[in-house]
Amino acid sequence: MGEPSVIICYSRCWACMFDQHYDPPQPHPWADDEDIEHARATGQPEPTGNCACRCARPA
């Protein structure tokens, strides 16, 4: 079997990593200002996508 062609990493925002969840749940990005600044400084595209936490998915 060869090397994987895709690696998926589910990203959570800082608040969710420290159990500060949205109540009620609502979509929110995983990236914060520091992530966006780092991407720009290193010539990468701006990070996109919602947080992978359960509180980012409304019922």
Side-chain angles (χ1 to χ4, degrees):
M1 194 174 265
E3 292 290 318
S5 59
V6 176
I7 297 173
I8 298 173
C9 298
Y10 296 104
S11 298
R12 293 188 305 157
C13 68
W14 276 108
C16 289
M17 285 193 266
F18 293 100
D19 289 328
Q20 298 172 357
H21 302 286
Y22 282 81
D23 187 22
Q26 61 184 332
H28 58 277
W30 67 267
D32 62 12
D33 293 338
E34 288 181 3
D35 296 310
I36 294 167
E37 181 181 327
H38 174 75
R40 287 182 185 152
T42 58
Q44 299 178 64
E46 187 170 309
T48 60
N50 282 334
C51 177
C53 185
R54 68 188 179 282
C55 76
R57 288 178 248 126

